[in-house]
Amino acid sequence: MVRSAITISFCFLYSMLGQINCHASTYFREVSLITNDIVYDPHSDMIYASVPSEVGILRGNTITPINPYTGALGNSVFISSEPSKMSIADDGSRIYVASESTNLVTPFFLDTMTPGAAFPIGSGDRRVDDLEVLPGNASRLAVSRRSGNTNRGFAFFEDGVQLPDASSDSARYDRIEFGDDPSTIYGHSSSISDRDFNAFEVNWAPDGGYVGTIYQAKRLLTQNGLDMEYENGRVYFTNGQILEVATPGPIGSFNGRGPVEPNFESGRTYFIDGDELKTFSQSTFVPLGSISVPEMAGSARNLISLGTDGLAFATDAGEVIIARGSLVQGPSADFDENGIVEGKDFLTWQHSFGIGSSLSDGDANGDGVVGEADLTIWEDQYSEPSGAASVAIVPEPTSIALALLVPCLAIRHRTSYTRLAS
């Protein structure tokens, strides 16, 4: 069953009629489906969910596609007993799927929508704590392992074959992330009090595997029980903490808690904090806005990007929630916040060019600087009223005021459009 927030229907309907601007809207779609994990493939533009047996005979123990626009469920394919954590290759060729009831990981090939040969990650009592596909090489996989509630280090696999050298069976690094260098993997233990963050060296030769520790930074994290996401030289934690991996060391924090998703392309970092979607600037760490997720049940368990204008997350109450639009407070050139991007907003930008730092000054992208990037956003969002003169944009900031002054003064005031969610 798919339940849509009413805002999405009105947003599309009125935008098609030309009666409303949906740029500043964030709208949600809720899909009723119990899942253990979700991933997104930008190549097929599809969400994939691991679905446990409790869902029943039609979709239990399957990989099930979810349309990221309509929420419609695709054909479910049996994958394994109690499929749980997943990791998708960046070329969109396959998803690796862990089994919670066995020591097996199964590759699932997206071009044919069929499972490959399952392979063990260790002895029979081993289970997957975390798994990560090596960026740029879909055949290589790192797996953090556990026995019962005790982490048992990590091992490396190529085409399902374990490389000989694994980390110590007593090592406790249950959260792992590859960086940009294929020979380096980062890890920390979410369950013990060391609160450390570590970098490890990997040798991908057939006789290789775990080489050793590059660094071990004790007491670097501020609490236990954290998950993490890597992007562009930084690691983002579910308590809002941000680490630079090269140093390593903390560089800041967000006022957000819960599943986190950095998106370097959009320049934003997102959190599902309780029942709120929160958005922050990656460059300044300042909040860009927040909104309550309508009719959300349960707690969010993961968060993924759907390109630059979409997010999805699952809850422990059997929902997958898709968010689209400006995602709270996206880039906005409505500097006076009257609901219209107009000539007055350009004059605000022009007056504060190079010296302003806030939305009211003309900072459209939230990076703390009023610059030419903010003018580009104004151009894209400018809403020319009927009968107003066409506006030509020239690249030099010093001449823009002369080019736009007369037509901007001719722009008449219009009634503000209705904000659906902002």
Side-chain angles (χ1 to χ4, degrees):
M1 178 185 71
V2 177
R3 182 172 73 253
S4 303
I6 193 169
T7 53
I8 191 171
S9 300
F10 284 116
C11 179
F12 281 118
L13 175 61
Y14 285 101
S15 64
M16 290 174 65
L17 296 175
Q19 297 177 4
I20 195 168
N21 186 334
C22 285
H23 177 82
S25 301
T26 301
Y27 45 90
F28 299 88
R29 184 177 293 274
E30 299 170 15
V31 182
S32 179
L33 182 67
I34 299 172
T35 65
N36 283 328
D37 201 3
I38 56 173
V39 295
Y40 172 70
D41 174 32
H43 303 276
S44 61
D45 197 12
M46 193 68 67
I47 300 168
Y48 295 92
S50 60
V51 182
S53 62
E54 65 181 286
V55 171
I57 191 170
L58 293 180
R59 298 193 185 276
N61 288 336
T62 68
I63 296 297
T64 296
I66 305 173
N67 186 299
Y69 303 97
T70 67
L73 303 182
N75 293 329
S76 298
V77 179
F78 172 77
I79 184 68
S80 66
S81 173
E82 304 303 338
S84 56
K85 287 184 175 290
M86 300 189 293
S87 183
I88 186 168
D90 56 11
D91 64 0
S93 64
R94 72 197 74 177
I95 302 171
Y96 289 94
V97 186
S99 167
E100 187 56 34
S101 64
T102 72
N103 66 342
L104 300 177
V105 168
T106 305
F108 183 75
F109 296 98
L110 294 176
D111 56 346
T112 60
M113 292 294 288
T114 56
F119 56 90
I121 62 166
S123 62
D125 66 339
R126 297 297 188 264
R127 299 292 183 269
V128 170
D129 250 344
D130 201 3
L131 72 170
E132 292 290 328
V133 185
L134 180 70
N137 193 324
S139 66
R140 293 176 173 176
L141 182 73
V143 177
S144 170
R145 306 177 295 185
R146 76 175 193 277
S147 174
N149 293 322
T150 302
N151 184 259
R152 295 299 186 187
F154 47 84
F156 302 93
F157 300 81
E158 181 148 17
D159 290 323
V161 177
Q162 182 177 333
L163 302 185
D165 294 324
S167 69
S168 168
D169 200 46
S170 62
R172 297 181 179 180
Y173 307 112
D174 55 353
R175 295 295 179 266
I176 54 175
E177 286 282 329
F178 278 112
D180 299 321
D181 183 347
S183 66
T184 303
I185 191 169
Y186 303 98
H188 84 98
S189 174
S190 68
S191 59
I192 60 176
S193 59
D194 284 351
R195 300 179 183 178
D196 55 347
F197 182 75
N198 313 280
F200 306 99
E201 187 177 355
V202 186
N203 175 13
W204 287 103
D207 59 349
Y210 172 74
V211 175
T213 301
I214 299 173
Y215 61 70
Q216 185 176 33
K218 293 283 190 180
R219 302 288 178 181
L220 200 57
L221 305 180
T222 58
Q223 68 181 82
N224 301 342
L226 301 178
D227 205 350
M228 63 182 184
E229 296 289 337
Y230 174 89
E231 187 173 60
N232 199 43
R234 297 177 177 178
V235 176
Y236 300 78
F237 290 86
T238 50
N239 68 340
Q241 196 171 358
I242 315 158
L243 299 184
E244 197 87 58
V245 298
T247 312
I251 59 170
S253 63
F254 301 108
N255 185 22
R257 302 292 184 271
V260 59
E261 179 66 11
N263 190 308
F264 183 75
E265 188 175 357
S266 69
R268 300 180 227 164
T269 296
Y270 306 98
F271 288 83
I272 302 298
D273 191 339
D275 64 352
E276 283 191 296
L277 168 59
K278 293 184 175 181
T279 309
F280 297 86
S281 166
Q282 281 197 350
S283 56
T284 64
F285 317 136
V286 299
L288 300 178
S290 64
I291 186 173
S292 294
V293 181
E295 302 181 43
M296 177 178 165
S299 300
R301 295 197 299 193
N302 48 20
L303 179 62
I304 58 174
S305 290
L306 310 176
T308 58
D309 66 347
L311 296 167
F313 64 94
T315 76
D316 58 11
E319 293 181 340
V320 175
I321 298 179
I322 301 167
R324 285 201 174 274
S326 66
L327 299 179
V328 185
Q329 185 59 52
S332 173
D334 180 18
F335 304 131
D336 58 7
E337 299 186 88
N338 72 343
I340 311 167
V341 177
E342 53 189 336
K344 289 189 298 181
D345 296 305
F346 162 74
L347 294 177
T348 296
W349 172 87
Q350 191 271 337
H351 178 74
S352 300
F353 179 80
I355 58 175
S357 60
S358 66
L359 176 67
S360 61
D361 293 332
D363 178 19
N365 60 9
D367 65 357
V369 177
V370 176
E372 293 192 33
D374 305 304
L375 175 64
T376 300
I377 295 170
W378 180 87
E379 293 177 43
D380 292 341
Q381 297 179 7
Y382 171 70
S383 301
E384 181 181 335
S386 175
S390 176
V391 178
I393 304 297
V394 291
E396 295 298 327
T398 54
S399 61
I400 288 173
L402 294 175
L404 293 179
L405 181 58
V406 173
C408 286
L409 291 175
I411 296 175
R412 59 183 175 85
H413 177 75
R414 296 188 302 173
T415 302
S416 298
Y417 61 79
T418 302
R419 288 187 182 273
L420 298 181
S422 60

